[in-house]
Amino acid sequence: MKKIRNDKEYLVEETLEGYAMMHSDIIVWKEGTHQIIRKHKKGKEKVKFVLGNGAGHEPAVIGWVGHGMLDMNIVGDVFTAPSADKILEGLETINDGSPILLAVQNHAGDVLNANIAYGRAIKEGIDVRKVLFYDDVASAPKGFEEERRGIGGMLFYTKIVGAYLEQGGDVEHAVELFERVRDNTRTYSVAFTQCTHPVTGMQIVNLPENEIEMGMGVHGEGGGNNRIPMPSSAQLAQKVGDILLKDGPYGAGDEVLLFINGLGSTTMMEQSILYRDMVHYLTGRDMKVAGNYCGNCLTTQELGGVSVSLCKVGEEEKALWNAPCACGIFRR
Amino acid sequence: MTEIERNDVILMLRSVAQEMMLHEKYFCELDLGLGDGDHGVTVSRGWKALSEALTGQDETLEELFRRLGSVMTNSMGGTIGPIYGLLFEGFANAVSGRETIDLPTAASMFEQSVQEIGTGADVKEGMKTSFDALAPAACALRQAAGENRNLEEGFGDAAEAAEYGAQATVKMIAKKGRARFLGEKSVGKKDAGAASMAAMIGAMCMYLKQQ
C-alpha cells in the first residue's frame, strides 16, 4: 500500500487536525476528541445541527461543518460509526440549551450508537431530535425505502436544513424539511476501480479491467456483483438516470438539484462529462436542473466511480440551497 | 473445576484478549468478502482496550462486567461495539449479587446476553451475524448445566456449538449489517462477526481447560 500516513493509530486524529488547520477560519478540531466544530458558533437561540459518521470518506463530513451547514461532525474510526460515548460527548459539547438536530445515516452501526447516545442525552435533559436518512436506491427495493442505506444525497439535507437553521428556523419545521428532502432524494452509485483500506492495506474492492459495479455502497461493499462492461458517459447517464427516475418522485416539469459525487479517483474531467450528460438526460425529459454540486464530496479512499443524486425541490428548498454558506467543500 | 471467581475472570479475559488480537488478520480477511475488511482491526482495538481496563479495582463481578461493556462499546464503535456492550451487560445482569461463576450462572450469563442483543440490536438467529454463534453457545451451556457437568466441559460444548453456528452462517443470506445489501450474493461466505464471537467463546474454553 502506498498511502500518505504516519502511525496508523493516529490516522483519524491527524486527518482532523490537518483539515482543521486547512480551514482554520471556519472550523476547529477539539484536541483529544473526534469532534470538528464551527469556529464561529451560531447564537444560543438557534437549533444546532450535528452529524456522526465513520472516517475515511473525507471531505465527508468534516468539510461540511460551517456557516449555513453543520455545527458539528462527530467522527468514528475508519469506516466505523462513532461510538455512543463519542456521540454523547459531542452532544454535551454542543449543548447550550437550544434543541439539537442529530442526523443519522442509515447504517447498522450509526443507528445503534446514535440510539444509545440519544437515550442517554435525553436522560441528561439535552433536547435532541433524531432524524434518519436513507437514499440509496441499490440497497433495498422500492417500497422498502426505510431499509435503504444513507449515502451521497445527504449533501442536500445538510445544505438545505443547515441554511434553514442558520436563519433561526424552528426544530419542528426543520424535522419536516429534513424528511421532505429525504423523501425527494434518490442516489445511485457506480464503482470503476479498486480501493484500499488505509489501516489494513487490504484491497476492499477489486474490479476486472473494463468492468464496473452498479450499486456500490460507501464502504466499497458490493452492490450484489451487478457488473457490466464500462459504458460511454451518455450510456451511463441514461442507465443511472433511468434507475433514479423510475424509483423517485420525479416527472416532467419538476425542478431538481443534481449532485455528481466523485468517489475518490474519478477525475473532474470525467465528472464534468457525466454532469453534462446527466443534464442532457434530465432536460430531455422536461426536467430543470435548479442547482448542482460536482466534486469529490463523499469519498471511499481512492475508489474510482461516482454517485449521482437527485432531489426534487420547491421554492423553499431552492432558496435554502442557494443561501450563503461557508464550509470546507464550498462557500456561497 | 466447578466455579471461578473475579480474579479468574480477569485472567481469563486477559487470555481471551491475547487470543483475539492474534486473529486480527483472519477476521479482516473474512470481512473482505462481505464488508469492508476491517472487522479484525475493530475487534483488536476493543480487546486491547478491555485488556488495559482489567485492573485490580475494588468492584463486584457485576460492576466489572458493566464497566468492561462500556469500554468495549466505546473503543470499538461501529455495530460490533454496541453488540459487545450488550454482551457484557447480559453477563453483568446474570452475576448480580454473586461472587463466583458456576456453570448454571455461566449459562444465565449467555442467556441474558442473547436476550440483551436480541432486543437491543433487533436480531434473531439465521440473519448471518455474531448472534448465530452466541445463541447456540448459550443453549449448549444450559444443557451442560442440566447434566451437572463441570465448567470446562460446559464451555467445551459451548465453543463447539458456537463454531458450528459460525460455520452455518456460510449458507445464510445476510439480513443485518452491511452484508444484507448483498442479498443472495452473501451466501457462500462466513460472517466475520460470527467467527469472532465463536473465537471468543473458544478462547474462554481454552483458558478454562488449561487451569
Side-chain angles (χ1 to χ4, degrees):
Chain A
M1 175 175 61
K2 284 182 277 188
K3 275 188 193 284
I4 296 174
R5 58 176 204 180
N6 297 308
D7 187 341
K8 64 182 180 186
E9 284 276 311
Y10 302 106
L11 204 58
V12 177
E13 284 78 0
E14 290 182 359
T15 305
L16 300 183
E17 187 179 6
Y19 199 83
M21 283 172 162
M22 221 185 291
H23 300 285
S24 59
D25 55 332
I26 300 175
I27 51 171
V28 177
W29 169 54
K30 194 179 170 204
E31 211 177 322
T33 72
H34 277 201
Q35 300 167 14
I36 291 286
I37 313 169
R38 274 169 69 148
K39 188 173 179 194
H40 305 288
K41 295 191 174 59
K42 254 194 220 140
K44 250 194 160 181
E45 70 290 353
K46 291 183 181 175
V47 176
K48 307 300 178 299
F49 196 13
V50 176
L51 179 61
N53 64 290
H57 303 295
E58 293 71 22
V61 298
I62 50 178
W64 309 19
V65 178
H67 180 89
M69 297 284 285
L70 298 166
D71 293 281
M72 171 187 269
N73 177 211
I74 304 156
V75 187
D77 286 290
V78 175
F79 299 162
T80 307
S83 68
D85 258 40
K86 281 202 184 97
I87 300 174
L88 182 64
E89 228 176 76
L91 294 173
E92 287 168 346
T93 305
I94 205 94
N95 182 34
D96 59 8
S98 57
I100 302 171
L101 188 63
L102 174 65
V104 183
Q105 292 285 106
N106 196 20
H107 294 269
D110 294 84
V111 173
L112 264 178
N113 286 286
N115 284 348
I116 300 171
Y118 171 80
R120 290 193 199 148
I122 294 290
K123 261 190 208 158
E124 288 182 14
I126 303 177
D127 184 4
V128 190
R129 314 294 169 95
K130 191 161 52 78
V131 280
L132 186 67
F133 186 76
Y134 38 82
D135 62 333
D136 183 10
V137 173
S139 57
K142 199 170 167 57
F144 295 86
E145 283 80 6
E146 288 170 32
E147 289 181 21
R148 289 176 172 173
R149 57 194 164 197
I151 56 173
M154 65 198 288
L155 180 68
F156 297 137
Y157 76 68
T158 310
K159 176 70 187 80
I160 291 169
V161 177
Y164 174 70
L165 296 177
E166 193 69 52
Q167 295 169 1
D170 73 271
V171 72
E172 268 77 24
H173 185 68
V175 171
E176 218 179 282
L177 187 59
F178 177 97
E179 289 171 352
R180 194 195 316 153
V181 169
R182 176 192 66 204
D183 295 342
N184 287 330
T185 298
R186 296 291 185 280
T187 300
Y188 195 81
S189 56
V190 189
F192 308 153
T193 57
Q194 82 285 352
C195 94
T196 319
H197 195 294
V199 176
T200 64
M202 290 179 187
Q203 272 197 2
I204 48 182
V205 183
N206 198 357
L207 289 161
E209 186 60 26
N210 210 39
E211 260 188 31
I212 68 170
E213 176 127 16
M214 304 289 283
M216 176 77 67
V218 285
H219 305 93
E221 66 273 55
N225 294 334
N226 183 9
R227 289 177 184 177
I228 60 166
M230 183 76 202
S232 72
S233 174
Q235 288 166 337
L236 183 62
Q238 166 127 28
K239 273 184 194 303
V240 173
D242 284 352
I243 290 168
L244 295 174
L245 261 52
K246 196 176 162 205
D247 194 277
Y250 314 116
D254 284 347
E255 289 195 83
V256 292
L257 303 175
L258 170 61
F259 170 33
I260 306 275
N261 173 48
L263 297 179
S265 64
T266 300
T267 61
M268 188 42 80
M269 176 188 260
E270 297 167 274
Q271 292 181 38
S272 302
I273 296 170
L274 182 63
Y275 181 78
R276 165 196 179 269
D277 290 327
M278 278 306 302
V279 171
H280 284 321
Y281 175 89
L282 294 167
T283 50
R285 279 151 189 83
D286 286 329
M287 292 168 71
K288 190 181 163 206
V289 178
N292 69 73
Y293 190 93
C294 198
N296 290 3
C297 207
L298 172 61
T299 63
T300 305
Q301 298 297 302
E302 74 280 23
L303 185 66
V306 288
S307 68
V308 180
S309 305
L310 290 182
C311 176
K312 183 165 88 175
V313 287
E315 290 310 314
E316 184 186 17
E317 295 96 310
K318 242 181 2 183
L320 292 166
W321 175 259
N322 290 317
C325 75
C327 61
I329 58 164
F330 65 137
R331 291 174 199 225
R332 181 171 276 163
Chain B
M1 82 194 72
T2 54
E3 58 178 27
I4 53 173
E5 54 183 37
R6 187 180 171 280
N7 235 0
D8 305 312
V9 171
I10 286 182
L11 291 174
M12 177 173 80
L13 290 175
R14 193 163 283 151
S15 146
V16 172
Q18 288 295 331
E19 189 64 24
M20 295 301 276
M21 288 190 271
L22 284 179
H23 288 103
E24 179 173 328
K25 190 147 184 267
Y26 169 64
F27 297 144
C28 282
E29 280 164 357
L30 277 182
D31 190 31
L32 269 184
L34 297 170
D36 53 14
D38 59 10
H39 182 63
V41 176
T42 312
V43 164
S44 240
R45 187 168 64 232
W47 284 98
K48 182 167 177 262
L50 178 133
S51 203
E52 285 160 4
L54 287 173
T55 49
Q57 291 185 20
D58 184 26
E59 57 190 352
T60 63
L61 266 177
E62 182 186 356
E63 287 162 349
L64 172 72
F65 284 134
R66 248 180 249 293
R67 186 167 60 81
L68 294 179
S70 141
V71 167
M72 288 298 247
T73 308
N74 298 320
S75 57
M76 294 167 107
T79 313
I80 200 72
I83 298 289
Y84 273 92
L86 293 167
L87 179 85
F88 280 90
E89 275 293 302
F91 288 176
N93 295 344
V95 298
S96 176
R98 297 192 61 94
E99 283 174 16
T100 59
I101 298 170
D102 54 13
L103 193 53
T105 310
S108 302
M109 284 164 62
F110 278 81
E111 284 166 351
Q112 289 276 333
S113 295
V114 163
Q115 204 183 337
E116 286 283 335
I117 295 172
T119 321
D122 191 26
V123 64
K124 291 194 277 282
E125 275 183 89
M127 290 179 154
K128 201 177 183 105
T129 70
S130 56
F131 202 75
D132 291 309
L134 182 69
C139 287
L141 284 169
R142 178 56 66 203
Q143 191 174 344
E147 292 161 4
N148 287 320
R149 305 175 70 191
N150 67 29
L151 208 50
E152 58 269 36
E153 285 167 347
F155 269 85
D157 291 358
E160 217 170 277
E163 193 51 52
Y164 189 80
Q167 199 53 45
T169 64
V170 173
K171 291 187 176 163
M172 293 176 188
I173 298 175
K175 293 277 187 334
K176 279 273 168 188
R178 280 174 202 161
R180 85 184 156 92
F181 300 118
L182 290 170
E184 286 177 10
K185 302 274 163 49
S186 62
V187 174
K189 289 156 190 159
K190 193 183 199 174
D191 179 68
S196 64
M197 185 61 78
M200 178 196 81
I201 298 164
M204 287 174 169
C205 165
M206 199 167 75
Y207 173 83
L208 292 169
K209 286 197 167 153
Q210 282 164 356
Q211 299 315 301

